[in-house]
Amino acid sequence: MSLKKISMITVLAAAQVSTVVPVSAQSSAALQQPSTVLEQPAALQEADGNNPKIGETAPEAANSAQPEPNVEQAETLESSPEADAVQPSQTSEIKAIPEENSADDMPPTSSSGPAASLNKESNELVLLMNRAEMYHNSKLYTAAQPMAVKSGVSYISIRAIVERAGLMLRYDNATKETIIYKDGNELRFTMNSTVYKVNGEARSMKGPAYTYKGTFMVPLTSITQALGIRYVVNQPEKKVILDLSSLSGSAPVNPGEGASGGEPANPSTPPVETVPGLVLLMNSAQMYHNGTSYTAAKPMAVKQGVSYVAVRSLVDRVGFSLRYDSSTKETVIMRGSDEIRFKTNSSVYTVNGVRTTMKGPAYQDSRTFMVPLTSITQALDIPYQVDQQNKRVILSLSTKPIASFTVTNPKVYVGQTVVNYKTSAYSPSGLPIVSEYWDGREDVFYEPGIHTVSYSVQDSSGEWSDPYTINIEVLVPNEPPAALFTTNKEEYRMGELITYTDQSTDEENAIVSREWDNNAKAFFTPGPVKVRLKVTDRHGAVDTYEKTIVITGETLYTREEFYQLYAAVGEKFFIDGARVPSLPVLPLESSFESRTLIRSNSPETVTREGVVYREVGVGATRFMIHHKNASGKVMKMYVVATNLNSTPASLNTQHVGFGGPSEYPNATGKLSVERYFQSMQSGSSNQTSILQPGESRLILTEINALPIKDQQVVSLFADLFTDSPIRYDVIMIEEKENALSKFPFLPLLAADGIHNRGTYANSTRILESHELIGQSEARIAIGDKNLDPFLTGYDGITGYPISNSGNFGMVYHIKLNRVAPNTLISFNPRGGKYMGSVMVNGSMVNVPSTSWLSAPHDSSVLFRTGEYEQPVEIWFTAAPGSSLPVNILVTPMPQKRN
């Protein structure tokens, strides 16, 4: 359905209506203009709107800081599959079109000014993107609201376009509709509706109409289509030009319809021979370049809704060069130093190496290379107009040279950065660039803030480019941090606690590291002592502060006394380890909990696939697994549980701690113990599964989650409970093998004769004291064979009897029910290096907190009692990879002295 014909000259005054006109229909002159600048629009886009142009990267997302409505990706208008060629409502993208507010005469402009391309003999409305100004037949108007983009749809104030088109606008209070009148015809829009009416016929819009700050906003294309307004998107000059002369003497054309009666759709349309630029005729091989007729190798075609052109025919007219790269099988368009590369049957092309997606793939048609039209117009920044009524696309081929540049420095600082400008310039006509002009350029900037730099070039014909402008943010150079610390005194006795207070500052509060040198809590030799602090900020700037304190010849505490009082929990400190064996042994009651230990630790170093341990367990069971891969291959370790019974079996996993894979055995063992105790605290590993008769299943899957590289170690502690006998196989196989299908055929590997494997009963030992302890020194020996006997058991594969050397896998639950006030409980290794974790009164303590302890003189704090007697509960198991035996020391702390 078309609107009725209107006269050549339409001058309608705004109607006075008897109903109350809402804000949306009021004069835009009364509306407040927002100060926020909308996002820079992207070029006309083939697919998702993110195709870059030559010399540019892909457009960024809209600025989220802008006020509502949020500015998003502009509406992309693609060609319809049903159309013969590109349709105006489907191939043009329009962004940020403002609403008028007031009028002024347009000031004179240069050829590069915002309205330079305005045809003064026509009726044109020029909308400037990202600006509030608009020009109507050379007159300047200021918008109250810029165009907005919501959910990919471009919206414009309905009054902005209607007043400039000379139409009438009113509000129907009965139907709640905003109405545009045109010679007795009407367009009706409803708030929050995606449907509008043309003389009662409902049509769909791409988004709903809405009101923003009192301005009624509608999709731009709903008006241009219904009123038959042609428009051009000029992306290089950032403007949209609406041809309002099409409103005179012609009726609007419904989308997809042509003009009736075989007459031209618009009698005022100039003949193709007089149209400047390159005119492509839809469904035809004929084209006109500045009025001269040319014939393309193939007609302009539409495939699956995408408009294609013959690339050579188009490039020849544009004035660029074309070649074929046989090494990459790509067709290459060259423009100066820039290049665009296409490949047959690919939907991706590259612009100076940047990959860009097209809506459809390039293809060959009888040896003619066809590409989507908009892939070229976007990359080459060619503005074009879709004249659907006359079935043609008009490309504006400017003869101006094009200038651009980038600043390659990531940041520019005042007085420091030598700015690196990288320029790019070319002539669309292929003329050489003979001159350039800079405005605002400095090699080094000496004032902070935003500096605007423009670059222009001139070709050999004397024509200058439009200025290309970049705003450069010049930053104040980073000031390094200031290191500073104080001490609570300037002079100290030997063994006196020193308090350091870090007072370092940074103007950005961005100190990322502090490195102390010689900041001991106390010193034990007299003389001056230098203490240093180095601080580093996030920029890498460094400052160091040094202070000298004096240590007198007077002693407040000995070294051992001092650390008994002041060492932090987990901190390592020195003791006289030679006297530890002579300390009395703390009398403890010993009992056990019934739990079977399955220790798989031999061969500790596994050189080939196989079963490293096999055992049948029932009831409460504990696993301690510790192995190293030395096969030269990437392996995995598994625990397979098999139900050998004729009835289903229940398997409850209670606690699990896994460490590795890692090249460091002691660190791996420590981590497995720490996670085991954490699992006891949290109960996070608790789960139950049912094994059907004869079923084999992978359990404790933490151990097989990661592949084990050559020379890496894994370590695992776990507690289980089953209601029926279950056979367990601990296996190591190549990473890509299937464990369940391979384990029945694996060989049983022999023990290495050095490390231990075996099955041991009663693997939780309870040590308990009911007497008051801590009034004198005493020790608890663990893993020494004499005071702490080793468990005895058997090898589950060979059946031979064996002793659990070191009692690895044994869990010690130590209950000290009465510990005297001011008592220190510490950890002292006796067999070599040790690093592990201990749970004390429900808290994890790493022994030590950093590095490791060395026998016999290193010790680490486990716990201190306060001013009152209290119970202490300790959970301990030896960390695989560390050395036993160890002692837990109970020591009365020295009295504090002034």
Side-chain angles (χ1 to χ4, degrees), residues 97-98 100 118 122-128 134-137 139 141 156 160-165 229-232 239-245:
I97 303 177
E100 61 178 310
L118 193 64
S122 64
N123 185 8
E124 292 182 333
L125 177 63
V126 181
L127 309 174
L128 303 182
M134 63 172 70
Y135 291 95
H136 187 196
N137 295 335
K139 248 183 183 178
Y141 297 84
I156 188 172
I161 193 168
V162 166
E163 289 186 352
R164 298 275 59 78
I229 300 174
R230 294 189 300 272
Y231 58 84
V232 178
K239 59 189 177 184
V240 180
I241 305 172
L242 278 66
D243 182 5
L244 302 185
S245 65

Side-chain angles (χ1 to χ4, degrees), residues 494-535:
M494 289 185 290
E496 184 175 0
L497 179 66
I498 303 171
T499 301
Y500 303 92
T501 303
D502 185 354
Q503 296 183 339
S504 302
T505 59
D506 180 70
E507 62 176 7
E508 298 177 325
N509 195 27
I511 295 176
V512 296
S513 70
R514 292 170 166 84
E515 299 176 40
W516 289 91
D517 180 29
N518 205 31
N519 63 327
K521 292 182 178 180
F523 294 94
F524 301 94
T525 55
V529 175
K530 290 183 177 181
V531 183
R532 296 180 185 86
L533 171 62
K534 183 173 81 172
V535 295

Side-chain angles (χ1 to χ4, degrees), residues 293-484:
S293 176
Y294 297 88
T295 302
K298 288 290 179 183
M300 185 176 174
V302 176
K303 290 185 65 175
Q304 297 182 345
V306 180
S307 299
Y308 285 83
V309 293
V311 68
R312 177 171 293 280
S313 302
L314 183 60
V315 168
D316 285 347
R317 300 275 58 81
V318 174
F320 301 138
S321 63
L322 187 72
R323 68 180 180 88
Y324 181 73
D325 188 338
S326 58
S327 62
T328 61
K329 311 296 184 187
E330 292 174 313
T331 298
V332 186
I333 298 175
M334 300 295 298
R335 181 179 70 178
S337 61
D338 300 316
E339 65 175 22
I340 312 168
R341 289 177 170 262
F342 298 89
K343 184 174 287 189
T344 302
N345 298 325
S346 173
S347 294
V348 174
Y349 69 107
T350 61
V351 180
N352 287 338
V354 178
R355 291 169 58 87
T356 306
T357 302
M358 302 183 289
K359 187 68 173 179
Y363 68 91
Q364 294 278 351
D365 182 1
S366 301
R367 302 182 62 83
T368 299
F369 193 56
M370 307 289 287
V371 298
L373 171 62
T374 52
S375 64
I376 295 180
T377 58
Q378 289 166 19
L380 300 182
D381 206 5
I382 301 174
Y384 65 90
Q385 172 187 358
V386 180
D387 183 359
Q388 177 64 27
Q389 294 172 340
N390 294 286
K391 301 298 183 185
R392 62 188 182 182
V393 179
I394 305 170
L395 280 65
S396 300
L397 302 182
S398 172
T399 60
K400 285 184 181 181
I402 305 297
S404 67
F405 72 96
T406 59
V407 174
T408 61
N409 310 78
K411 292 183 182 297
V412 178
Y413 293 101
V414 170
Q416 293 184 355
T417 306
V418 177
V419 183
N420 183 19
Y421 299 91
K422 183 178 180 181
T423 63
S424 175
Y426 67 93
S427 166
S429 303
L431 299 176
I433 301 300
V434 298
S435 183
E436 65 178 23
Y437 174 76
W438 289 90
D439 183 23
R441 169 172 172 160
E442 298 286 347
D443 292 333
V444 178
F445 289 94
Y446 293 96
E447 294 292 335
I450 302 298
H451 291 254
T452 300
V453 179
S454 297
Y455 175 60
S456 306
V457 296
Q458 184 184 42
D459 63 23
S460 59
S461 73
E463 188 167 16
W464 281 93
S465 71
D466 291 333
Y468 185 88
T469 301
I470 287 181
N471 289 328
I472 302 175
E473 183 180 10
V474 180
L475 306 171
V476 176
N478 175 59
E479 292 292 333
L484 180 66

